[in-house]
Amino acid sequence: MSSVSPFHGLSAFPPTPADINGRVDTEALCRLLEPLCDAGVASIGLLGSTGIYSYLTREERLRAVKAAVECVKGRIPIVVGVGDLRTDHAQGLARDAEAAGADALLLAPVSYTPLTEEEAYQHFLAVTKAVTLPLCIYNNPGTTHFTFSRKLLQRLSEIETIRAVKMPLPAGGDVRGELAALHEKTGLAIGYSGDWGAAEALLSGADAWYSVVGGLLPRTALALTKAAIAGDGNEARRLDGLLEPLWKMFKEFGSIRVVYTLVAHLLLAQAELPRPLLPLGPTLRQRVLDVTEPLTALERQSLL
């Protein structure tokens, strides 16, 4: 396992190529992971939301982890999503990931019945007791409909192996203020998802960018990350501007639909959205390809 911290810098979240029956294409997955390793991202976020973790069986999730570990060979830390409705199932997924060679875990409080804060706390505590790997809290209210209070994050941060939190962009846009409040109450590494706000989040002092676009355009995302962490606002915003057309696609169609359009095009491999999600139609698909072609060309040429 890698000794590099997986919770700082650019954490790139690739899609998980699979067929319509949810069978993971491990060869195509490896082809997605190689550019991430070559670019030198800080960590790989395997089986995140874009990685369709919630739509895959335990067996397929384990196949994906084993294939990723074999492909990456310790070059980059791998953070594996282990969210599930049931606590015992999440524990099993965490044990699978640890046994397969993952470096860290990402856990979302997936639920059907809305969770109380105590239920969420006990869920996380149980998963941390099942394994020894460091864990990142996945605060993703858009999919889980559960929002972590600062009080709960403080309580969870007292669990030894919980080291980080993946936050959504704050509704009011005050990342700097939120970071100050969280750092005051917790010792967690604080990173953000929501790619269109990543530049400002990193410039405001965030520890990590948990990036959807980093899973397909790692060099572009890494250049933005490095510029922002170095405090080079002009360069970070310039790169963010290049990505703005893609951010608009993400907001209009949902990042998962855009990403799976791109992976099918770039890899020429099967990368089906799990039903009931439907792929974009031909006209919208072409819009996405037209918008991203300059970015993919730049990525290929390593001009950044």
Side-chain angles (χ1 to χ4, degrees):
M1 297 196 326
S2 173
S3 61
V4 178
S5 169
F7 304 133
H8 291 77
L10 176 67
S11 186
F13 279 69
T16 305
D19 64 21
I20 198 66
N21 297 311
R23 176 77 173 175
V24 174
D25 183 340
T26 55
E27 188 275 333
L29 177 60
C30 189
R31 281 193 280 144
L32 276 172
L33 298 181
E34 281 296 341
L36 308 186
C37 295
D38 291 342
V41 302
S43 63
I44 292 169
L46 192 73
L47 299 176
S49 296
T50 306
I52 59 172
Y53 77 94
S54 59
Y55 297 93
L56 297 174
T57 65
R58 178 176 178 177
E59 291 73 21
E60 288 303 306
R61 289 164 76 163
L62 179 56
R63 284 185 67 243
V65 179
K66 286 181 174 179
V69 170
E70 174 62 26
C71 177
V72 172
K73 298 186 188 308
R75 289 174 287 173
I76 304 290
I78 298 175
V79 182
V80 176
V82 294
D84 203 280
L85 278 168
R86 291 177 57 96
T87 297
D88 54 351
H89 290 182
Q91 288 175 309
L93 290 163
R95 292 188 186 101
D96 286 350
E98 182 172 54
D103 297 281
L105 304 176
L106 178 68
L107 179 61
V110 183
S111 65
Y112 179 82
T113 300
L115 300 178
T116 67
E117 291 209 343
E118 184 62 26
E119 287 166 342
Y121 176 82
Q122 293 297 334
H123 179 65
F124 274 77
L125 179 63
V127 174
T128 62
K129 286 184 174 180
V131 291
T132 61
L133 294 179
L135 184 143
C136 178
I137 298 164
Y138 191 0
N139 184 5
N140 189 15
T143 58
T144 64
H145 309 292
F146 181 86
T147 301
F148 289 83
S149 69
R150 289 175 187 171
K151 182 178 180 180
L152 178 57
L153 288 174
Q154 180 178 18
R155 188 181 178 199
L156 286 168
S157 73
E158 295 168 359
I159 298 173
E160 182 180 1
T161 54
I162 294 182
R163 308 283 177 78
V165 59
K166 179 178 186 280
M167 295 288 290
L169 296 168
D174 184 14
V175 177
R176 195 174 297 276
E178 182 173 77
L179 284 168
L182 288 173
H183 282 308
E184 181 182 359
K185 292 186 175 296
T186 79
L188 299 173
I190 302 165
Y192 284 86
S193 53
D195 279 10
W196 48 87
E200 293 305 321
L202 290 168
L203 287 166
S204 296
D207 296 299
W209 174 19
Y210 295 99
S211 175
V212 172
V213 77
L216 287 180
L217 303 175
R219 295 186 185 279
T220 308
L222 190 59
L224 188 159
T225 302
K226 288 181 175 179
I229 290 175
D232 188 346
N234 289 335
E235 178 64 3
R237 293 185 179 101
R238 181 187 75 83
L239 293 167
D240 185 59
L242 293 178
L243 291 160
E244 179 61 28
L246 188 56
W247 303 157
K248 290 180 179 178
M249 295 286 106
F250 280 10
K251 292 175 183 178
E252 185 174 356
F253 305 125
S255 59
I256 191 168
R257 295 181 183 86
V258 173
V259 164
Y260 279 79
T261 296
L262 292 175
V263 72
H265 174 70
L266 294 172
L267 286 186
L268 300 178
Q270 225 174 359
E272 296 280 355
L273 282 170
R275 298 298 183 265
L277 301 180
L278 295 174
L280 299 178
T283 301
L284 298 181
R285 178 178 182 276
Q286 192 57 50
R287 279 182 60 192
V288 169
L289 297 181
D290 290 344
V291 159
T292 54
E293 177 53 35
L295 295 169
T296 55
L298 197 60
E299 186 86 10
R300 287 194 299 268
Q301 295 165 22
S302 301
L303 293 180
L304 291 170

